[in-house]
Amino acid sequence: MVVKSVNLETVCGITSTLPQNDKIEIAFAGKSNVGKSSLINGLMNRKAYARTSSQPGKTQTINFYNINDALYFVDLPGYGYAKVSEALKEKWGKMIEGYLKTSKQLKIIFLLIDIRHEPSANDRNMYEWIVYNGFEPVIIATKLDKINRSQKDKQIKIVREGLNVKPGTRIIPFSSVTKQGRDEIWECIEEVMEDKEIN
């Protein structure tokens, strides 16, 4: 898809009412500092539309980006950031859960995992939570440019086994630097858009 227009249309905090959108929604979940904003910017062909930060835990809201007036990218708050209070983490969790349970337009959840490391307990919990809510997430293994090419298959296996993913789960290695994986991610999104048109 050629991205012609991007608009940050809705920002939902802990007390906000979630929008009732009439276009499909594609959600992005991941640990703080996993490269979520960089991925979203890469998909949108924008350098800094989704705010990237060296300070983890920056995304504290659910952000809805209108793409081409055809679909929404939904940026969920990053999880697992140590300097946030337990009470706030719980509120974020409820906010995300509320979105997963109530959105009528959510079609895919991309779960981002750092390819360099074994998935954390928070990563596993998020994966299981997404599956429990009836979705089959696509795993994006980020920061591909930070490992040697020869390590890729081994690290993907570590991600697959660390999350104990269901058979057939797609894992797409991605680099925000080289943009490797970008086309595969867009293919997933376009498949969903085509399904909607058929149905």
Side-chain angles (χ1 to χ4, degrees):
M1 174 183 279
V2 177
V3 177
K4 294 179 179 174
S5 67
V6 174
N7 178 32
L8 176 55
E9 194 168 282
T10 312
V11 176
C12 291
I14 288 164
T15 58
S16 305
T17 302
L18 290 163
Q20 300 292 315
N21 289 324
D22 59 355
K23 301 172 186 68
I24 70 167
E25 295 170 359
I26 311 296
F28 298 83
K31 194 161 53 178
S32 296
N33 225 15
V34 75
K36 196 152 45 68
S37 296
S38 297
L39 168 66
I40 292 170
N41 284 326
L43 292 173
M44 297 191 303
N45 275 340
R46 301 295 190 274
K47 280 192 175 167
Y49 203 96
R51 282 169 299 179
T52 57
S53 174
S54 56
Q55 179 188 346
K58 193 79 174 170
T59 305
Q60 301 177 8
T61 51
I62 301 179
N63 298 333
F64 291 79
Y65 296 92
N66 184 328
I67 312 295
N68 288 356
D69 209 26
L71 74 154
Y72 288 96
F73 282 177
V74 183
D75 186 5
L76 301 174
Y79 56 83
Y81 183 47
K83 290 189 181 177
V84 173
S85 71
E86 289 303 317
L88 188 54
K89 282 181 192 171
E90 193 174 322
K91 285 179 180 174
W92 287 355
K94 285 182 177 167
M95 181 166 65
I96 296 169
E97 185 174 28
Y99 169 68
L100 295 183
K101 286 186 169 173
T102 60
S103 172
K104 294 182 173 61
Q105 298 293 343
L106 178 56
K107 303 301 178 189
I108 303 182
I109 301 174
F110 289 114
L111 176 59
L112 280 65
I113 306 290
D114 189 328
I115 198 169
R116 299 172 297 175
H117 309 298
E118 184 176 346
S120 66
N122 282 322
D123 290 327
R124 289 192 292 276
N125 289 341
M126 179 56 84
Y127 173 77
E128 289 164 8
W129 196 24
I130 292 168
V131 171
Y132 176 78
N133 279 285
F135 296 95
E136 292 188 11
V138 175
I139 311 301
I140 309 294
T142 63
K143 304 187 188 266
L144 177 62
D145 51 280
K146 295 190 182 293
I147 63 170
N148 294 328
R149 195 173 295 177
S150 60
Q151 294 176 287
K152 185 178 83 168
D153 290 345
K154 176 185 151 211
Q155 292 305 118
I156 288 174
K157 188 175 182 221
I158 287 171
V159 169
R160 189 181 294 281
E161 292 176 353
L163 291 176
N164 192 23
V165 297
K166 293 166 74 173
T169 298
R170 287 174 88 162
I171 299 181
I172 302 173
F174 175 78
S175 164
S176 62
V177 175
T178 67
K179 302 296 183 283
Q180 186 174 336
R182 182 182 183 277
D183 290 348
E184 287 177 76
I185 297 167
W186 265 116
E187 278 171 22
C188 292
I189 296 168
E190 285 166 358
E191 281 168 18
V192 170
M193 294 179 74
E194 284 165 15
D195 283 349
K196 187 175 188 242
E197 286 170 12
I198 291 166
N199 296 327

